[in-house]
Amino acid sequence: MKVTAVFDIGRTNKKYILFDEKYQIIDEFSESLPETTDEDGFPTEDIELLTKWVQDRWAILLEDPRYDIKAVNVAAYGASLVHLDASNKPLTPLYSYLKPFPENLLKQFYSTYGDPTRLSLQTGSPAMGMLNSGMQLYWLKYTYPDIYKQIATTLHLPQYILYLLTGRKVSDYTSLGCHTALWSFEMWDYHDWVKDEGIHKKLAPVLASSSFIYRHHDKGIQSGFGLHDSSSALIPYRMAVKKPFVLLSTGTWCINFNSFASKPMTSYQLERDCMNYLTPEGSGVTASRLFLGREHDYQVARIAEYFRVDPDFYKGVAYDEEILNADTPRFYTACMTGNGPFPEPNTQEWQISAFATAESAYHHLIKGLTELLFVSLDLIGINDVQAIYIDGGFARNEIFARLIARNYPNHTVYATDLPYATSLGAALHVTRPQTFEFSKEIYEIKA
């Protein structure tokens, strides 16, 4: 059977997925790998274990007589770098983007390169420490200069996985453009600070094409260049939907993409957790973030504890208009200090005791979260598009989806059941079909 293989590397699960020629999933394999710690004891991905896992799985796939692999691509999480020495071996741990960035080094950086807001506007990247992967290279240069000097090539994680599969070292727009602080959205090139530090010389070249032919013995396999996972999830929608839309990619984070917005980012947007991304072709995408899933899970645990119900109770809660219209105490967040549309510290706690039932509290939790989401959507020009697509875990949440439809009566709102949108996007991008249409994975939501 002719297949396209996609290695989809998440923080928790590492998997590969095989698609047939109609982009239906025919096989998948998923595994969770234990973490390790870096030299400071901070938890991080075990790069040696991950390397071996990818190489072993790829070798097994290539020899599997059931499959004729015609194409391969990678999707993986962003803001993570692998630094290779002259013999192409990783020089350092795969430092976590959650690792704190030293304050003294941050002061050194901004005293050299100027106002943080100006730099953030130019790079489309809020100042987020290690989450700005370019700052990881700056940190390495001044914290471990001897190691930095040994770096022959630095690859973002999706491109490192691709290198393990094909031996090709490249950089990709989606990885360079995801809040890295590397890319100037004004100059459409590496930012001046990157060139001044010589960091761009460590990065693999950016190639204009979308694929190349990888030779395995006498067989040619079409290979992509790897993709940042959030940007990869946008690809099926951009291929299938012709009119302007906004995509809500929901999970722990809700990342809202408007790839039809062309206005420069403002400081107001920047302060409220908006940023720029790049498509695989290098065009800009305006996005906003909300810590939706994390806040949801935290508050659901509080509701379950207070009402002494199963933590999964919310999965059986049906939409009830009467509950939603009842007067209730104001919703206060617990997990959104420093992020989202209202990043200011919150000193008050949402009063669950004001509700009579767990179902009532849950309705108003979702109502409070969607009201925050509406602010995030306004920030990226939701009224300039005609449709809203909800992807990910919250697409299956009836209360969430119907509240969005109720708030945007002039938009067409769709929920999608694409459990592997990220992998599908990577498969579509490497094979480049002339047309792609959703089959049964999409349905309209009515208020």
Side-chain angles (χ1 to χ4, degrees):
M1 181 181 288
K2 295 178 180 179
V3 299
T4 296
V6 173
F7 279 76
D8 188 340
I9 307 300
R11 284 296 301 266
T12 304
N13 293 315
K14 324 301 172 190
K15 56 181 176 279
Y16 67 72
I17 295 174
L18 303 182
F19 294 90
D20 65 15
E21 292 178 287
K22 295 182 179 178
Y23 299 100
Q24 300 300 307
I25 295 172
I26 59 164
D27 197 6
E28 60 180 293
F29 179 88
S30 180
E31 194 169 352
S32 181
L33 302 178
E35 285 190 328
T36 185
T37 56
D38 63 21
E39 63 272 4
D40 297 321
F42 199 86
T44 189
E45 185 91 62
D46 188 330
I47 188 62
E48 291 184 11
L49 193 61
L50 177 60
T51 297
K52 186 176 187 306
W53 185 89
V54 171
Q55 290 173 329
D56 288 351
R57 292 295 150 196
W58 185 225
I60 290 169
L61 272 177
L62 286 170
E63 300 305 318
D64 194 321
R66 296 174 296 170
Y67 304 125
D68 176 13
I69 299 176
K70 308 301 289 185
V72 64
N73 208 354
V74 175
Y77 61 88
S80 303
L81 299 174
V82 181
H83 311 286
L84 303 178
D85 63 16
S87 59
N88 295 317
K89 300 295 182 186
L91 272 165
T92 71
L94 183 63
Y95 294 111
S96 170
Y97 55 64
L98 300 175
K99 186 181 176 76
F101 198 93
E103 282 295 327
N104 63 326
L105 207 54
L106 211 54
K107 290 177 182 176
Q108 174 185 302
F109 179 83
Y110 288 118
S111 66
T112 306
Y113 295 108
D115 178 52
T117 300
R118 182 181 61 84
L119 282 167
S120 293
L121 286 171
Q122 290 169 344
T123 61
S125 307
M128 298 186 286
M130 287 288 203
L131 262 167
N132 304 134
S133 58
M135 296 299 287
Q136 295 181 28
L137 271 162
Y138 184 86
W139 168 79
L140 198 61
K141 181 178 181 179
Y142 290 98
T143 307
Y144 299 106
D146 291 341
I147 292 175
Y148 180 84
K149 289 174 185 175
Q150 297 176 53
I151 297 174
T153 311
T154 290
L155 300 171
H156 277 90
L157 181 60
Q159 286 68 50
Y160 175 66
I161 303 301
L162 181 86
Y163 166 72
L164 295 177
L165 301 177
T166 68
R168 190 79 177 265
K169 290 185 281 189
V170 299
S171 290
D172 153 74
Y173 282 120
T174 65
S175 291
L176 291 173
C178 72
H179 52 74
T180 63
L182 289 166
W183 194 257
S184 169
F185 285 82
E186 292 181 344
M187 304 302 296
W188 231 252
D189 194 1
Y190 289 118
H191 194 277
D192 285 347
W193 83 260
V194 178
K195 296 178 180 178
D196 290 348
E197 292 288 341
I199 282 174
H200 65 301
K201 296 177 182 177
K202 300 289 187 182
L203 299 166
V206 183
L207 301 183
S209 59
S210 62
S211 66
F212 65 96
I213 300 300
Y214 158 64
R215 307 300 306 186
H216 176 67
H217 304 315
D218 59 346
K219 177 181 174 60
I221 299 175
Q222 191 173 0
S223 172
F225 291 143
L227 296 162
H228 171 237
D229 52 9
S230 294
S231 301
S232 185
L234 183 58
I235 290 172
Y237 296 91
R238 284 176 58 89
M239 292 189 72
V241 182
K242 304 308 177 188
K243 294 181 179 180
F245 65 91
V246 162
L247 173 66
L248 280 57
S249 180
T250 67
T252 301
W253 286 97
C254 178
I255 304 181
N256 314 300
F257 295 100
N258 185 352
S259 57
F260 302 89
S262 56
K263 298 175 184 176
M265 188 169 290
T266 66
S267 56
Y268 185 82
Q269 287 174 300
L270 193 70
E271 291 164 4
R272 285 154 182 77
D273 221 357
C274 295
M275 63 196 73
N276 289 128
Y277 283 74
L278 287 172
T279 67
E281 295 74 32
S283 59
V285 178
T286 302
S288 61
R289 293 194 315 169
L290 191 69
F291 214 4
L292 186 76
R294 178 68 185 92
E295 185 73 39
H296 173 274
D297 293 351
Y298 175 84
Q299 300 292 0
V300 163
R302 289 184 65 216
I303 295 170
E305 182 180 9
Y306 182 82
F307 289 102
R308 298 182 180 178
V309 294
D310 187 280
D312 287 337
F313 79 94
Y314 67 94
K315 295 178 181 178
V317 177
Y319 180 92
D320 189 317
E321 187 79 24
E322 187 176 339
I323 291 176
L324 284 168
N325 291 333
D327 289 333
T328 58
R330 180 180 171 183
F331 178 69
Y332 293 99
T333 63
C335 306
M336 295 192 187
T337 298
N339 60 71
F342 301 107
E344 300 79 14
N346 200 345
T347 57
Q348 299 194 58
E349 186 175 72
W350 182 45
Q351 295 302 310
I352 294 172
S353 58
F355 298 94
T357 64
E359 289 75 14
S360 176
Y362 185 71
H363 272 76
H364 286 275
L365 166 62
I366 299 300
K367 185 178 180 181
L369 290 174
T370 54
E371 286 172 351
L372 291 171
L373 176 62
F374 301 152
V375 179
S376 281
L377 293 176
D378 287 345
L379 287 166
I380 61 166
I382 187 67
N383 291 319
D384 297 333
V385 304
Q386 300 163 323
I388 300 170
Y389 289 81
I390 309 168
D391 178 270
F394 282 85
R396 294 178 286 279
N397 188 308
E398 182 193 11
I399 304 171
F400 179 85
R402 288 183 64 176
L403 281 173
I404 292 174
R406 188 170 81 169
N407 193 68
Y408 295 106
N410 297 324
H411 291 67
T412 309
V413 179
Y414 299 98
T416 65
D417 187 16
L418 281 176
Y420 296 109
T422 296
S423 301
L424 176 60
L428 288 168
H429 191 251
V430 66
T431 53
R432 311 297 289 184
Q434 288 187 336
T435 60
F436 172 72
E437 295 181 0
F438 294 118
S439 51
K440 300 176 182 178
E441 303 96 347
I442 185 165
Y443 47 96
E444 187 175 348
I445 301 296
K446 299 294 184 182

